[in-house]
C-alpha cells in the first residue's frame, strides 16, 4: 500500500538545515524535499514516463512530483499505480482536492518557477543519491493491473 509523501514532511529544523535534511533516510529525503530530483532522475532514461506535479487545488506550487506513464507512477515509495497514489494522497489530506499537471519545463526552470530547491543548493549533489535509490527497486513493476 502506498505511503503518502506528506507522511515524511520535513520539520522546521530540517527545512532550515540542509545537512539535517540530507541525513534523513532515502525514502524520507525523496518523499519530502527532493521528490523532483528523484522524478527527473527516473524519467531521464524512460521516454514513456513524464514528470507530473501534484498540488492542492488553488495552490500555486506543487508539493510532490512523480514520474508516471499514466498507469504506473514512481516516487519515494517505488512503483505504485498512479490511481492508488492519487487516492492515498487525497485520503491523507482530504480537506482540499488534489490536482496533477504535466511538467513540460526542464528541472532548472521547474525549480525556479515552482519554489523547489535546485540540485546545487542541497548539502550534497542529490542526483547520484537519486540514481542509487532508483536502483534499489525492480526496473519494472512486479505485476500488471488487470483491465477493468
Amino acid at each position: 500500500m502506498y505511503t503518502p509523501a506528506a507522511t515524511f514532511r520535513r520539520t522546521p529544523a530540517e527545512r532550515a538545515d540542509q545537512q539535517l535534511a540530507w541525513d534523513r533516510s532515502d525514502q524520507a529525503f525523496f518523499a519530502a524535499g527532493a521528490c523532483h530530483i528523484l522524478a527527473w532522475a527516473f524519467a531521464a532514461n524512460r521516454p514513456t514516463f513524464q514528470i507530473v506535479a501534484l498540488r492542492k487545488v488553488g495552490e500555486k506550487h506543487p508539493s510532490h512530483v512523480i514520474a508516471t506513464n499514466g498507469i504506473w507512477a514512481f516516487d519515494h515509495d517505488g512503483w505504485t499505480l498512479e490511481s492508488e497514489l492519487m487516492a492515498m494522497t487525497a485520503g491523507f489530506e482530504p480537506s482540499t482536492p488534489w490536482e496533477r499537471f504535466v511538467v513540460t519545463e526542464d528541472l532548472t526552470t521547474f525549480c525556479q518557477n515552482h519554489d523547489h530547491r535546485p540540485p546545487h543548493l542541497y548539502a550534497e549533489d542529490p542526483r547520484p543519491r537519486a540514481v542509487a535509490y532508483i536502483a534499489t527497486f525492480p526496473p519494472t513493476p512486479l505485476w500488471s493491473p488487470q483491465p477493468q
Side-chain angles (χ1 to χ4, degrees):
M1 181 166 284
Y2 181 74
T3 305
T7 304
F8 300 96
R9 279 200 180 109
R10 289 172 290 160
T11 65
E14 290 166 342
R15 285 185 167 280
D17 182 337
Q18 277 303 299
Q19 190 61 52
L20 191 59
W22 180 268
D23 291 341
R24 293 178 302 151
S25 71
D26 284 340
Q27 185 171 17
F29 180 73
F30 290 116
C35 57
H36 57 298
I37 304 295
L38 184 66
W40 257 271
F42 184 86
N45 297 314
R46 293 169 179 87
T48 61
F49 279 76
Q50 58 189 181
I51 306 298
V52 169
L54 311 178
R55 66 181 169 207
K56 289 182 179 181
V57 171
E59 290 190 359
K60 180 178 179 182
H61 301 298
S63 59
H64 193 51
V65 180
I66 64 173
T68 181
N69 66 2
I71 298 171
W72 285 103
F74 189 92
D75 73 351
H76 68 93
D77 218 28
W79 292 102
T80 306
L81 288 171
E82 184 179 345
S83 59
E84 179 184 347
L85 184 152
M86 293 300 294
M88 296 298 290
T89 298
F92 189 78
E93 296 182 292
S95 62
T96 306
W98 286 79
E99 64 184 352
R100 67 189 291 286
F101 66 92
V102 175
V103 177
T104 58
E105 308 152 308
D106 62 26
L107 177 60
T108 300
T109 306
F110 174 83
C111 291
Q112 291 169 349
N113 291 342
H114 294 286
D115 198 27
H116 278 61
R117 187 179 306 277
H120 70 279
L121 292 181
Y122 285 85
E124 298 179 38
D125 185 347
R127 293 168 292 194
R129 184 174 176 179
V131 171
Y133 187 60
I134 291 164
T136 68
F137 294 93
T140 61
L142 296 177
W143 61 275
S144 295
Q146 296 300 311
Q148 303 268 341

